[in-house]
């Protein structure tokens, strides 16, 4: 758990350093797109977190803890890692917000590493924890899905629960 936290902090630091050290030119359109990516990432994280909090635990706890129950409903019906994907979209948005083209190109490599990390660390843990059910889930649902439809589906699901 501690390693994952350090991993996400490391990615954020890499993005911020790229924003600081890469020289201009600035492109205004990138800043606008950056805001949209940040909003998308925050909403995606919120929906994923709420869904996991409601459905991911056999016994409700007030503290943050990894899920002990497999969740396939709501946003998890259209992507397997919405929270982590949201984090990556926030990082991408921060790099775009700088308006520096070279920063965005550099962060593309950071994001590729982030996707690799998710697929090489999270996926084996899911298989180990949930077994055959997770293997079947991997076949049916993609790991990431950049779709507004997915957000709407996740929101509607949460709305039905409340």
């Amino acid at each position: 758990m501690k390693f994952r936290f350090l991993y996400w902090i490391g990615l954020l630091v890499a993005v911020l350093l790229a924003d600081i050290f890469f020289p201009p030119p600035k492109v205004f359109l990138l800043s606008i797109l950056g805001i949209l990516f940040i909003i998308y990432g925050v909403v995606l994280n919120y929906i994923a977190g709420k869904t996991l909090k409601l459905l991911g635990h056999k016994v409700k706890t007030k503290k943050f803890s990894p899920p002990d129950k497999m969740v396939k409903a709501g946003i998890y019906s259209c992507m397997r890692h919405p929270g982590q994907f949201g984090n990556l979209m926030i990082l991408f948005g921060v790099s775009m917000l700088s308006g520096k083209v070279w920063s965005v190109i550099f962060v593309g490599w950071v994001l590729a590493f982030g996707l690799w990390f998710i697929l090489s660390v999270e996926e084996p843990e899911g298989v180990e924890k949930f077994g055959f059910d997770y293997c079947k889930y991997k076949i049916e649902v993609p790991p990431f899905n950049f779709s507004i439809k997915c957000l709407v589906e996740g929101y509607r699901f949460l709305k039905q629960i409340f």
Side-chain angles (χ1 to χ4, degrees), residues 3-4 7-8 11 44-45 76 79-89 91 110-127 134 138 142-145:
F3 173 70
R4 286 188 188 161
Y7 161 76
W8 287 110
L11 284 184
L44 192 58
N45 261 331
Y76 289 90
M79 77 172 91
R80 294 192 307 264
H81 303 286
Q84 293 90 336
F85 190 60
N87 289 338
L88 292 175
M89 292 299 100
L91 293 173
V110 171
L111 294 182
F113 175 74
L115 294 172
W116 171 82
F117 178 83
I118 292 166
L119 293 175
S120 65
V121 172
E122 298 280 333
E123 293 289 311
E125 285 181 358
V127 171
Y134 194 81
K138 281 175 61 172
F144 314 107
N145 188 346

Side-chain angles (χ1 to χ4, degrees), residues 16-23 100:
L16 293 174
L17 288 175
D19 288 347
I20 292 168
F21 290 111
F22 282 123
K100 298 175 184 175

Side-chain angles (χ1 to χ4, degrees), residues 2-160:
K2 193 176 193 180
F3 173 70
R4 286 188 188 161
F5 178 74
L6 293 175
Y7 161 76
W8 287 110
I9 295 297
L11 284 184
L12 180 61
V13 168
V15 168
L16 293 174
L17 288 175
D19 288 347
I20 292 168
F21 290 111
F22 282 123
K26 288 189 170 209
V27 178
F28 182 69
L29 179 62
L30 287 180
S31 298
I32 293 170
L33 289 173
I35 291 169
L36 294 175
F37 273 101
I38 290 170
I39 291 169
Y40 178 82
V42 168
V43 171
L44 192 58
N45 261 331
Y46 175 78
I47 292 172
K50 278 287 189 193
T51 304
L52 270 186
K53 185 177 181 182
L54 292 169
L55 304 175
H57 301 285
K58 294 174 185 167
V59 177
K60 302 287 182 211
T61 62
K62 292 189 180 197
K63 293 177 11 179
F64 173 78
S65 62
D68 55 4
K69 202 168 129 187
M70 195 164 140
V71 178
K72 295 193 255 182
I75 194 124
Y76 289 90
S77 67
C78 61
M79 77 172 91
R80 294 192 307 264
H81 303 286
Q84 293 90 336
F85 190 60
N87 289 338
L88 292 175
M89 292 299 100
I90 292 169
L91 293 173
F92 189 56
V94 167
S95 75
M96 292 181 93
L97 199 57
S98 74
K100 298 175 184 175
V101 176
W102 288 109
S103 174
V104 174
I105 291 170
F106 171 75
V107 170
W109 288 100
V110 171
L111 294 182
F113 175 74
L115 294 172
W116 171 82
F117 178 83
I118 292 166
L119 293 175
S120 65
V121 172
E122 298 280 333
E123 293 289 311
E125 285 181 358
V127 171
E128 183 179 314
K129 194 175 217 177
F130 302 114
F132 179 74
D133 287 340
Y134 194 81
C135 291
K136 187 176 169 192
Y137 179 59
K138 281 175 61 172
I139 293 169
E140 296 168 353
V141 179
F144 314 107
N145 188 346
F146 189 73
S147 165
I148 300 299
K149 181 182 172 191
C150 215
L151 282 181
V152 171
E153 186 174 321
Y155 174 75
R156 283 187 184 148
F157 178 77
L158 286 177
K159 196 173 173 184
Q160 287 175 350

